[in-house]
Amino acid sequence: MNVELKNIHKHFGKTYANKGINLSIPSGTIQGILGENGAGKSTLMKILSGFIQADPGGEIILNGKPVVIHSPADAIHVGVGMLHQDPLDFPPMRVLDNFLLGRSGGLFPNRGAVAQDFKRLAEQFDFSLDPDNYVDALTVGERQQLEIIRLLWLGARVLILDEPTTGISASQKTKLFATLKKLADQGMTIIFVSHKLEDVESLCHQVAVLRAGELVGTTKPPYNTSRLVEMMFGKIVTLGERQPAKSGEPVLSLRDISLEDVRLKIRNVNLDLRAGEVIGLAGLEGSGQGMFIRACAGLVRPVGGRILLKGRDLTGRSYHTFKREGVNFLPASRLEEGLVPGLSLTDHFVLAEEPNGVFIDRAAGQRLAEERIKAFNIRGTPFSTVESLSGGNQQRAELALLQSPLSLILLEHPTRGLDIESVIYIWSKLKDRCHQDSAAILFISSDLEEILQYSDRVLVFFSGKVSAPIDAATTSVDQLGQLIGGKGWQEKGGSHA
Amino acid sequence: MLRGRLGSFLFQSIAFVLALGFVSLILLAVGASPLEAYKNILTGSVGSMRKFAEVLVSFVPLLLVTAGLLITFSAGLWNIGVEGQIVLGAIATTWALRQFVDSTMPPALAIFLSILAGMAGGAVWASFAGMLKTFGGVNEIFGGLGLNFVSTALTLYLIFGPWKREGVASMSGTEPFPDVFSLPQLPDLRISPWALGIALAAVLVVYLILQGTYFGLRLKAVGRNFRAAYLLGIPTWQYSLYSFLICGALAGLAGAMQVTAVYHRLIPSISSGYGYLGLMVAMLINYQAIWAVPLTLFFAALNIGSIQLPIVMKLDSSLSGVLQGVLVLFVLLVEGARQKFLKKA
């Protein structure tokens, strides 16, 4: 199906998410849509798939005919289906029931016939999905497969995929790409939204790049990576050089620390974290690293052992004592734990400063906010409420709230969901703080490349077991992956970090 | 346009018209003329200086309670126990005055100390709800409700027990205090300019606390995200307790005004439901201090104006309560509709 977008505008308040976008995608094409977070990719796709409506004046033309799409149901009716980043399915239900949902008509669906269709489609793409299995037992990749055949079965001729390669395994990715190529050969139009350059380069027939709501250009293979990056960010960005490990004074010392919650027990961990050093905590979600980092912040009390900060024993003291001693903790859930929705950036900066008298000096607060907004490159005004900021800007705001001076920064998933430019920016700021205050950093990440790139040493967590510190310079993603999965623990030797 | 202040005002006006319409339907259903009823409420509240003074008498405690509730609402707390905090303020004031009646202390000082005792009484009662919440994990709504019942029982016990009138105990309350122990009133009117001044000063202080102080900003942070406020370094449970203490002190002050400026004694229903009414006003003004004065005045006028209804029209005076309740419901409803509308637009 030929897809044409003409003059699509969309504004939210004063900011334009899409600005005069014109894009034409011929039938049988895999179209890549590239752009950093907040570039307007998702908005454009939501407009095409009916989740939101464009401002008046634009047109969506399918096979030469202008169409009006007011809802996702309208979209699938004209043949447009969207696969969301988080699959929109119903986990406690069976695969086949999920497949049936969204189908109109009929009080009593003909399950037999539907099961046949399901089997036929699954076989066609070599998907091994059991129709009687429950959806919560499936992996993200399998849920994607289910969603793809469901949309095809509903009659989709245009398939939109939003960041489909996040959270799936390498083999699932290979299978997904093969499926998409097969579909394109059958005349389907595939729109592939991503900020991962290698995925886009290896799959797409043509690529459109969005920046700040505008279409900055389209290219065809062979792709020039640095040219694409430049289009995405408007400038050239490179990852920083890895820096060698420091050996300053110990900042945080753990002596035989034991931790417990209802599920996990961590026993006798010893660690010395030195000034200027960065330690990454790797492990599957819920392997004990969350409890560990919170114990280092004073939020979880150890059941045994001692925690020393610059030689001072802080065992059993409250988080606020830790904070006064220069420990800052940035939680993963920014709007739930890190920031206060409803309060402005100025309010946050004022709150984080030491009070100066009883009354707030509004003008000074605003000046401070303007300074920090500039220094941390936050897209927002002093009066913006934090929930109106994008994820990357919320993260920058959290960094801007770090106190000074600092001795230890604890971070949970500091760059989750952020584009590469924000990641580089945030780490450069963190490293700056490390040098300035001779602080140390302890961070959790599920991105192993991030861990290897930015840490000096790595601790791996596996169901409460903690590895000895591993030198990041001499290990690989593959080795870490094995340990995270519970393999090779004998050699790495238990919990004497 | 619908986003701004004007749009908000437009929607609130719609809510007001809807509420009036709804109450009119009720009046028509019982065979009364809505227009006549509204006219009676109007003349009954602002028809004469004497009547307007009555409105102000009702305005004072309502404003004090509303001001206090703005503090607890900012901290994210539903201080239902405010009703009992008024009662305890009145009891503590009465207790203090009883100590001073036969002493040689100058009356002005006695009144001043009794009012302080009332504020302390309200604050202590509020601290019970606060401690139940912070240390016992009891939701402040349940704790407050329970304490309200205890406060009513305590009043009745005092009036019919230790503080009963010479010879006869009655629902009319304790022995009235001599006139010198009352806040001075305007000639021929029941309103005390002192009480009015105190109430206006209190709401101004609350406004300043919430708008311009570190304390107010921290309180709001605690109210909007307890967890994040804690991580930002704010001592959260202490701030919850402070807000209870402030609200309790203001509710206690309202109780003290009821004793020293209105009834000159302790009576069984000394709080007159001002606590619950204050909760409604606070919700109606969307927790913004700046609207507290006009809305409280309006509610007080409804209260006093509707006293005319049973006299002139043989209607029940609870109509004002119906109108107030319906108004709050419609404002909340219309605000919800506006939010939905804005999201679409």
Side-chain angles (χ1 to χ4, degrees):
Chain A
M1 188 181 275
N2 296 311
V3 179
E4 242 182 294
L5 297 170
K6 276 195 174 164
N7 197 25
I8 301 289
H9 284 276
K10 178 73 192 178
H11 73 276
F12 296 104
K14 277 180 193 144
T15 51
Y16 271 86
N18 283 159
K19 212 167 174 183
I21 294 194
N22 291 295
L23 184 61
S24 166
I25 312 166
S27 186
T29 307
I30 303 180
Q31 169 77 52
I33 307 275
L34 261 182
E36 61 173 320
N37 287 338
K41 300 172 306 217
S42 293
T43 305
L44 187 63
M45 292 306 115
K46 282 182 182 162
I47 288 170
L48 183 55
S49 61
F51 274 86
I52 51 178
Q53 273 86 56
D55 296 342
E59 260 189 317
I60 299 172
I61 301 168
L62 298 179
N63 275 345
K65 267 190 287 187
V67 292
V68 180
I69 300 175
H70 276 313
S71 68
D74 283 357
I76 197 71
H77 189 69
V78 295
V80 177
M82 176 154 174
L83 196 72
H84 289 264
Q85 204 169 348
D86 308 302
L88 299 177
D89 49 24
F90 301 84
M93 291 172 70
R94 286 177 200 278
V95 167
L96 196 64
D97 296 321
N98 264 278
F99 192 70
L100 272 167
L101 286 166
R103 165 85 157 201
S104 55
L107 194 56
F108 301 102
N110 182 350
R111 295 181 69 94
V114 172
Q116 289 272 315
D117 285 352
F118 179 85
K119 236 180 114 193
R120 186 176 49 74
L121 278 164
E123 269 168 16
Q124 191 187 336
F125 297 107
D126 194 22
F127 293 161
S128 50
L129 292 168
D130 174 3
D132 291 323
N133 203 348
Y134 284 92
V135 171
D136 34 14
L138 303 185
T139 64
V140 177
E142 287 170 328
R143 285 162 73 172
Q144 252 178 15
Q145 296 172 351
L146 168 64
E147 191 66 6
I148 289 175
I149 58 174
R150 190 179 76 86
L151 290 170
L152 292 177
W153 185 62
L154 288 172
R157 304 292 300 141
V158 178
L159 205 56
I160 305 168
L161 298 101
D162 190 9
E163 305 281 1
T165 57
T166 308
I168 66 174
S169 69
S171 64
Q172 282 172 332
K173 187 164 112 178
T174 315
K175 192 173 264 182
L176 174 70
F177 282 14
T179 307
L180 294 179
K181 281 177 183 155
K182 197 187 263 181
L183 287 170
D185 288 341
Q186 294 171 4
M188 292 265 302
T189 307
I190 310 288
I191 304 180
F192 186 88
V193 181
S194 184
H195 61 248
K196 291 186 185 163
L197 289 164
E198 52 178 309
D199 291 350
V200 170
E201 285 178 6
S202 66
L203 182 70
C204 298
H205 298 139
Q206 59 180 43
V207 172
V209 182
L210 293 184
R211 188 173 75 229
E214 290 185 78
L215 185 69
V216 285
T218 55
T219 61
K220 295 202 174 209
Y223 298 113
N224 175 343
T225 307
S226 52
R227 171 88 191 107
L228 284 175
V229 171
E230 209 184 318
M231 280 162 80
M232 274 170 80
F233 299 110
K235 60 184 175 230
I236 297 160
V237 283
T238 48
L239 285 174
E241 284 290 299
R242 263 197 55 85
Q243 284 165 0
K246 309 288 175 312
S247 53
E249 292 293 301
V251 171
L252 177 76
S253 307
L254 305 181
R255 297 279 171 264
D256 289 317
I257 282 292
S258 294
L259 303 166
E260 269 182 34
D261 68 5
V262 285
R263 294 181 311 108
L264 283 175
K265 285 190 173 74
I266 293 178
R267 286 282 170 254
N268 303 328
V269 180
N270 287 289
L271 180 73
D272 277 309
L273 182 59
R274 295 175 183 284
E277 192 182 25
V278 180
I279 290 192
L281 308 181
L284 291 173
E285 200 87 356
S287 299
Q289 68 273 50
M291 183 160 61
F292 181 79
I293 207 166
R294 276 159 200 263
C296 295
L299 287 161
V300 167
R301 262 173 212 198
V303 292
R306 292 190 302 139
I307 300 179
L308 298 118
L309 193 76
K310 292 194 164 162
R312 249 198 88 189
D313 193 338
L314 291 185
T315 317
R317 307 300 287 274
S318 77
Y319 163 74
H320 284 162
T321 309
F322 277 68
K323 193 169 189 297
R324 268 195 297 280
E325 296 290 323
V327 179
N328 270 198
F329 170 63
L330 299 193
S333 45
R334 294 182 274 263
L335 280 186
E336 287 75 38
E337 291 192 277
L339 302 166
V340 184
L343 294 191
S344 68
L345 281 173
T346 307
D347 289 338
H348 278 83
F349 294 129
V350 169
L351 279 174
E353 291 292 302
E354 273 306 302
N356 177 17
V358 173
F359 291 97
I360 298 167
D361 182 345
R362 289 269 156 205
Q366 207 177 309
R367 272 198 306 279
L368 176 73
E370 271 160 9
E371 262 167 45
R372 297 278 177 88
I373 284 171
K374 211 163 149 226
F376 285 84
N377 200 10
I378 301 168
R379 266 173 234 164
T381 71
F383 311 105
S384 305
T385 52
V386 288
E387 71 271 23
S388 72
L389 304 176
S390 72
N393 286 314
Q394 285 169 5
Q395 188 70 32
R396 286 168 212 236
E398 278 207 292
L399 282 185
L401 288 171
L402 287 177
Q403 73 189 48
S404 195
L406 262 177
S407 33
L408 176 62
I409 312 175
L410 305 164
L411 307 128
E412 270 184 332
H413 301 286
T415 63
R416 182 154 75 188
L418 305 188
D419 60 75
I420 181 83
E421 193 193 22
S422 299
V423 173
I424 292 168
Y425 183 86
I426 279 164
W427 273 108
S428 75
K429 279 280 170 196
L430 285 171
K431 293 268 183 177
D432 280 356
R433 289 306 299 264
C434 241
H435 294 306
Q436 267 172 34
D437 304 20
S438 6
I441 293 180
L442 204 60
F443 77 103
I444 294 178
S445 175
S446 44
D447 183 344
L448 296 181
E449 282 174 8
E450 177 179 31
I451 286 191
L452 288 182
Q453 172 72 30
Y454 297 107
S455 334
D456 300 311
R457 292 187 291 168
V458 183
L459 294 184
V460 181
F461 287 74
F462 175 72
S463 69
K465 280 196 280 184
V466 186
S467 76
I470 302 164
D471 187 1
T474 58
T475 193
S476 66
V477 169
D478 195 48
Q479 272 176 300
L480 283 184
Q482 299 257 339
L483 283 170
I484 285 169
K487 287 181 196 157
W489 277 78
Q490 283 74 21
E491 304 94 88
K492 287 290 169 195
S495 41
H496 292 285
Chain B
M1 186 202 96
L2 293 171
R3 262 160 229 278
R5 221 160 257 241
L6 196 66
S8 173
F9 182 74
L10 184 77
F11 272 87
Q12 310 257 316
S13 310
I14 292 173
F16 183 70
V17 171
L18 285 174
L20 271 187
F22 186 80
V23 173
S24 302
L25 284 180
I26 294 176
L27 284 169
L28 287 174
V30 296
S33 154
L35 272 184
E36 199 191 335
Y38 296 143
K39 206 184 103 211
N40 278 314
I41 291 178
L42 197 68
T43 53
S45 53
V46 293
S48 71
M49 203 55 214
R50 192 178 286 271
K51 279 175 176 144
F52 186 63
E54 288 297 324
V55 171
L56 291 179
V57 167
S58 175
F59 169 71
V60 166
L62 188 55
L63 186 61
L64 284 167
V65 168
T66 306
L69 287 167
L70 288 171
I71 297 277
T72 40
F73 272 122
S74 292
L77 297 165
W78 281 78
N79 186 15
I80 303 285
V82 68
E83 190 77 16
Q85 291 148 26
I86 303 175
V87 173
L88 262 288
I91 289 175
T93 305
T94 310
W95 172 81
L97 278 175
R98 287 172 66 87
Q99 314 303 312
F100 299 137
V101 162
D102 295 323
S103 74
T104 52
M105 187 181 280
L109 185 60
I111 293 172
F112 178 71
L113 290 177
S114 306
I115 290 174
L116 286 188
M119 292 176 75
V124 166
W125 206 245
S127 75
F128 291 163
M131 286 192 284
L132 279 171
K133 162 103 178 173
T134 44
F135 302 122
V138 180
N139 187 305
E140 75 276 9
I141 296 179
F142 301 134
L145 207 54
L147 286 166
N148 285 352
F149 279 101
V150 176
S151 72
T152 310
L154 186 59
T155 316
L156 291 176
Y157 163 72
L158 289 171
I159 290 173
F160 290 95
W163 294 354
K164 71 169 182 251
R165 279 191 188 188
E166 218 49 50
V168 51
S170 86
M171 285 302 277
S172 65
T174 56
E175 187 71 41
F177 295 109
D179 279 349
V180 287
F181 291 107
S182 299
L183 281 174
Q185 297 175 344
L186 289 177
D188 279 345
L189 298 174
R190 278 185 67 213
I191 181 65
S192 157
W194 285 89
L196 197 58
I198 288 171
L200 289 171
V203 77
L204 185 68
V205 167
V206 166
Y207 174 79
L208 288 177
I209 288 177
L210 291 179
Q211 286 308 308
T213 64
Y214 285 100
F215 182 86
L217 183 58
R218 288 173 159 202
L219 214 53
K220 282 188 222 172
V222 171
R224 284 164 191 266
N225 192 340
F226 197 83
R227 184 81 191 146
Y230 182 75
L231 290 182
L232 279 170
I234 300 170
T236 39
W237 65 262
Q238 290 93 326
Y239 269 74
S240 290
L241 266 188
Y242 297 154
S243 79
F244 271 115
L245 289 177
I246 294 173
C247 182
L250 287 170
L253 184 56
M257 291 297 113
Q258 293 291 81
V259 172
T260 53
V262 185
Y263 295 109
H264 315 298
R265 62 185 189 276
L266 184 65
I267 60 166
S269 57
I270 191 89
S271 65
S272 316
Y274 286 126
Y276 297 123
L277 205 55
L279 285 164
M280 288 220 286
V281 176
M283 278 189 276
L284 193 65
I285 60 180
N286 198 17
Y287 321 127
Q288 293 176 43
I290 197 149
W291 292 102
V293 172
L295 258 295
T296 308
L297 196 59
F298 176 63
F299 268 46
L302 281 180
N303 264 4
I304 301 302
S306 63
I307 293 173
Q308 295 297 311
L309 295 177
I311 304 165
V312 184
M313 293 177 71
K314 304 266 182 289
L315 284 170
D316 198 279
S317 67
S318 62
L319 190 73
S320 71
V322 175
L323 185 56
Q324 287 159 346
V326 167
L327 187 60
V328 171
L329 289 178
F330 271 104
V331 164
L332 294 179
L333 192 70
V334 166
E335 181 56 26
R338 186 173 83 105
Q339 296 291 347
K340 214 167 174 181
F341 186 79
L342 284 181
K343 222 175 250 174
K344 273 204 175 151

